């Protein structure tokens, strides 16, 4: 498996960056995970949009789905340009029916339901889900290719279920949106202490911290995380590529 970080910011993108956008690849299958603000621009540094096979969206906050509309326009242009012959699949949950319905764009994109209780096969992966602790209904994702596992927490505050969901994964992409001292604004998100605890208690073999805040020193986040988590850890950055096979 190969993971490329195309966008790693919470809330909004700084200049020339993107919010949540990750490219997961295996055996030529290219899956975009979340499609936040700036994602469509940034992802083209790593893949041609005509080569994308599917999109999966964790939840419908803007920093995870803002660019879906522009991706749909691209899919329309791909179709009339002869680059694509069938509807592009966009996986998302149905807890907000209007948002799910908007994943369909004429016959150019097609919404496909994901739920916390069922698995789905997307390309080479069996994907399972876990409801997170977040103001909007949100699903964490676990990708299993039969050899390795990758878990993306999406947006969440601490839950014991998440520890079980992440157990023994080869790579954990965990959000960390606030600092440990920001208790007042931490609702729905992990602090460095909690992200480190999640990785340590779940025995994740490798950790990447993402959904980064727009203030403070990010090095502090990594220092705090690695004081708790004993495995290899790094901060997400645009263009980072992680191979795990
Ligand atoms: Zn969110």
């Amino acid at each position: 498996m190969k993971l490329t970080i195309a966008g790693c910011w919470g809330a909004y993108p700084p200049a020339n960056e993107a919010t949540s956008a990750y490219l997961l690849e295996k055996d030529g299958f290219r899956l975009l995970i979340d499609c936040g603000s700036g994602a469509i621009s940034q992802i083209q540094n790593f893949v041609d949009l005509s080569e994308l096979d599917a999109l999966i969206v964790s939840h419908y906050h803007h920093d995870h789905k803002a660019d879906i509309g522009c991706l749909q326009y691209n899919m329309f242009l791909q179709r009339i340009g002869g680059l694509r012959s069938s509807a592009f699949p966009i996986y998302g949950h149905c807890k907000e029916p209007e948002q799910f319905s908007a994943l369909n764009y004429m016959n150019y994109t097609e919404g496909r339901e994901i739920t916390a209780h069922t698995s789905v096969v997307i390309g080479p992966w069996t994907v399972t889900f876990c409801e997170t602790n977040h103001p909007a209904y949100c699903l964490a994702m676990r990708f299993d290719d039969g050899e390795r596992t990758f878990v993306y927490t999406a947006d969440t505050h601490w839950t014991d279920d998440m520890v079980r969901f992440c157990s023994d994964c080869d790579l954990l992409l965990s959000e960390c949106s606030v600092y440990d001292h920001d208790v007042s604004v931490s609702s729905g998100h992990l602090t460095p202490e909690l992200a480190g605890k999640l990785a340590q208690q779940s025995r994740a073999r490798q950790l990447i911290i993402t959904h980064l805040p727009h203030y403070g020193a990010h090095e502090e986040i990594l220092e705090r995380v690695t004081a708790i988590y004993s495995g290899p850890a790094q901060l997400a950055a645009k263009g980072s590529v992680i191979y795990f096979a």
Side-chain angles (χ1 to χ4, degrees), residues 58-64 134-136 138 154-156 175 188-189 211:
S58 60
H59 66 304
Y60 302 118
H61 275 157
H62 297 298
D63 50 347
H64 294 254
H134 195 59
C138 177
D155 284 7
T156 191
E175 77 122 289
H189 292 288
H211 206 271

Side-chain angles (χ1 to χ4, degrees), residues 27-43:
D27 298 339
F29 195 97
R30 298 176 177 91
L31 175 66
L32 178 59
I33 302 173
D34 279 345
C35 190
S37 181
I40 296 310
S41 174
Q42 291 304 321
I43 200 72

Side-chain angles (χ1 to χ4, degrees), residues 44-61:
Q44 291 174 84
N45 289 307
F46 314 106
V47 66
D48 192 289
L49 295 178
S50 66
E51 297 174 331
L52 280 179
D53 292 293
L55 163 66
I56 188 166
V57 183
S58 60
H59 66 304
Y60 302 118
H61 275 157

